[in-house]
């Protein structure tokens, strides 16, 4: 019969008490007191005895707790010092899945805000690593992840995130590549966004009262502001970035029609370039799509990166912009 809520709370209280390294070998009275504190009700010794028996032998609970009693120290302990009912028992398939996830987490443990959680990430990684059976010992040798760099600006993530959650402004000195100088800004930060190994903060400019985007790697100095703000009820990050191609957004969403060569089309089919992507032509000679996006820097850089494998069909002003860009590039050779 499944344990009721109070029984489960007692099991956890008993587990915490026995696992406490600072107060080892709790007595029966110690277990009773721990359960009283957890449930705010009287607990009998017989009830605790039944709980101990259930934790040790009831297979439906899945604990099979190695609880022992030390007669010399007159207290309870786990024969396995690393045991806890909070430990998760996983089958091989689940262990592989957690192992895969822990490998991903390992890539980020030294990056910005993730450094704060590096100890927790390391514990997960080591726990999975220690529990892998012989069949899985080659896990690290058969799958490789792209290493996450400790990119400039990531040291600001934790501060900015804290200000977002506390709805406080940030003041920062920001360097402009175009103007080749820095200025101070006050921003009501709404959201952090990562794109191509760079972090950005998006929020309301305190003076201009418009949404602005700032790259964290160009923040020279960051301070917590002294203004509390209420996030715009109309601001929705999902909707805000729905028509963005990358990090940038604009004032007008446009239909962009792109034609790909047959070789390139295989990649675009398997991994669409945008959530609004619609296929217009798909044959042996051409793969043509339409996306609804802001025509900004990241889209132009994507088209450039495809080189001769892509052709802009619409709009005309984007086609002309790409022609001008290719002419200038050709002049470099």
């Amino acid at each position: 019969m499944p344990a009721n809520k109070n029984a489960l709370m007692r099991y956890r209280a008993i587990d915490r008490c026995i696992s406490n390294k600072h107060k080892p070998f709790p007595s029966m009275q110690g277990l009773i007191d721990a359960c009283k504190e957890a449930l705010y009700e009287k607990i009998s010794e017989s009830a605790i005895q039944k709980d101990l028996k259930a934790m040790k032998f009831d297979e439906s609970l899945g604990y099979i707790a190695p609880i022992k009693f030390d007669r010399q120290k007159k207290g309870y302990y786990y024969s396995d010092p690393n045991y806890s009912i909070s430990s998760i028992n996983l089958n091989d398939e689940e262990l592989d899945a957690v192992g895969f996830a822990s490998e991903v987490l390992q890539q980020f443990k030294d990056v910005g805000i993730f450094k704060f959680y590096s100890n927790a990430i390391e514990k997960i990684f080591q726990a999975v690593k220690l529990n892998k059976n012989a069949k899985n010992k080659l896990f690290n040798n058969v799958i490789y992840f792209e290493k996450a760099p400790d990119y400039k600006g990531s040291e600001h993530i934790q501060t900015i995130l804290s200000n977002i959650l506390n709805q406080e402004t940030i003041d920062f000195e920001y360097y402009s590549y175009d103007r080749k100088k820095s200025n101070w800004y006050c921003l009501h930060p709404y959201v952090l966004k990562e794109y191509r190994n760079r972090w950005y903060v998006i929020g309301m400019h305190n003076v201009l009262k418009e949404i602005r985007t700032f790259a964290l790697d160009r923040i020279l100095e960051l301070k917590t502001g002294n203004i509390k703000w209420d996030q715009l009820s109309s601001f929705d990050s999902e909707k805000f970035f729905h028509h963005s191609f990358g990090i940038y957004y604009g004032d007008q969403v446009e239909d962009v029609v792109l034609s790909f060569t047959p070789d390139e089309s295989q990649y675009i089919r398997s991994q669409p370039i945008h959530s609004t992507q619609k296929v217009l032509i798909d044959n042996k000679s051409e793969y043509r799509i339409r996306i609804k996006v802001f025509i900004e820097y990241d889209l132009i850089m994507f088209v450039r990166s495809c080189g001769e494998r892509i052709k802009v069909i619409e709009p005309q002003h984007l086609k002309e912009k790409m022609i001008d860009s290719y002419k200038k590039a050709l002049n470099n050779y």
Side-chain angles (χ1 to χ4, degrees):
M1 180 177 179
N4 60 37
K5 182 179 178 181
N6 282 1
L8 291 174
M9 290 178 69
R10 291 198 305 273
Y11 299 154
R12 292 192 174 278
I14 292 170
D15 176 65
R16 286 194 300 270
C17 198
I18 296 177
S19 300
N20 191 337
K21 306 299 182 184
H22 301 290
K23 295 181 179 180
F25 301 101
S27 64
M28 173 57 70
Q29 187 59 49
L31 298 182
I32 292 173
D33 292 342
C35 291
K36 280 183 179 178
E37 186 176 346
L39 275 73
Y40 299 102
E41 62 181 39
K42 290 183 178 181
I43 306 293
S44 66
E45 181 175 335
S46 61
I48 299 299
Q49 292 286 8
K50 289 179 182 179
D51 289 340
L52 292 173
K53 183 177 180 180
M55 292 172 69
K56 291 169 67 176
F57 303 113
D58 190 339
E59 292 185 359
S60 66
L61 291 174
Y63 298 153
I64 315 301
I67 300 172
K68 303 291 183 181
F69 183 78
D70 189 304
R71 295 187 180 278
Q72 288 187 333
K73 297 183 179 180
K74 298 181 180 180
Y76 294 88
Y77 69 100
Y78 286 137
S79 59
D80 177 358
N82 296 316
Y83 177 85
S84 171
I85 65 171
S86 298
S87 300
I88 303 173
N89 294 318
L90 303 174
N91 59 36
D92 286 348
E93 187 176 315
E94 293 168 331
L95 193 60
D96 281 343
V98 175
F100 185 92
S102 71
E103 290 282 350
V104 175
L105 286 173
Q106 277 288 102
Q107 312 307 308
F108 294 94
K109 70 172 186 175
D110 294 321
V111 176
I113 189 173
F114 297 103
K115 289 181 179 178
F116 183 76
Y117 304 106
S118 61
N119 287 339
I121 293 173
E122 186 64 28
K123 284 181 179 179
I124 295 172
F125 182 75
Q126 292 300 329
V128 173
K129 187 176 180 181
L130 289 171
N131 281 283
K132 284 176 182 170
N133 56 36
K135 182 187 73 172
N136 294 321
K137 284 183 179 179
L138 295 177
F139 188 91
N140 292 339
N141 296 324
V142 298
I143 183 167
Y144 284 84
F145 297 88
E146 182 178 356
K147 297 294 182 180
D150 191 5
Y151 27 72
K152 184 180 178 183
S154 60
E155 67 273 15
H156 301 310
I157 293 176
Q158 189 168 341
T159 300
I160 295 174
L161 178 60
S162 176
N163 282 53
I164 292 173
L165 297 176
N166 293 322
Q167 294 188 305
E168 296 173 334
T169 55
I170 53 174
D171 297 326
F172 55 92
E173 184 182 6
Y174 189 79
Y175 184 79
S176 170
Y177 289 151
D178 294 331
R179 294 191 295 270
K180 293 181 171 53
K181 67 175 185 178
S182 63
N183 286 307
W184 277 88
Y185 295 89
C186 177
L187 188 76
H188 304 198
Y190 290 161
V191 64
L192 283 161
K193 182 176 173 67
E194 187 267 344
Y195 181 67
R196 291 188 175 181
N197 291 332
R198 289 181 185 271
W199 282 92
Y200 300 82
V201 58
I202 297 92
M204 177 70 72
H205 191 292
N206 190 55
V207 177
L208 300 178
K209 304 302 179 185
E210 64 183 23
I211 302 296
R212 298 284 297 273
T213 299
F214 295 91
L216 268 56
D217 61 340
R218 286 189 258 164
I219 293 179
L220 305 181
E221 186 177 352
L222 175 67
K223 300 178 180 178
T224 296
N226 54 12
I227 302 173
K228 296 287 287 185
W229 51 268
D230 292 323
Q231 182 169 323
L232 292 176
S233 58
S234 60
F235 184 83
D236 184 316
S237 58
E238 290 292 330
K239 292 181 180 178
F240 185 76
F241 287 111
H242 181 63
H243 293 292
S244 293
F245 194 98
I247 189 65
Y248 295 100
Y249 57 93
D251 298 322
Q252 182 180 351
V253 176
E254 299 185 60
D255 284 348
V256 176
V257 179
L258 303 172
S259 175
F260 296 90
T261 63
D263 289 340
E264 186 69 14
S265 68
Q266 299 177 68
Y267 299 100
I268 308 304
R269 283 192 192 92
S270 62
Q271 188 171 356
I273 63 173
H274 197 265
S275 61
T276 62
Q277 180 172 314
K278 300 294 182 184
V279 179
L280 303 180
I281 298 175
D282 185 1
N283 56 39
K284 292 182 179 180
S285 59
E286 180 188 14
Y287 186 72
R288 184 178 294 191
I289 64 170
R290 175 189 288 118
I291 56 176
K292 292 180 176 291
V293 295
F294 300 116
I295 298 178
E296 297 292 337
Y297 177 79
D298 288 324
L299 174 63
I300 294 170
M301 291 301 293
F302 169 77
V303 175
R304 283 177 180 170
S305 71
C306 293
E308 74 280 4
R309 303 182 305 277
I310 190 173
K311 180 181 178 180
V312 175
I313 306 299
E314 297 175 6
Q316 183 62 31
H317 72 89
L318 177 58
K319 183 188 297 187
E320 293 172 354
K321 183 174 291 189
M322 297 313 303
I323 292 172
D324 183 58
S325 174
Y326 291 138
K327 285 181 179 179
K328 289 178 180 178
L330 188 59
N331 288 335
N332 290 331
Y333 294 92

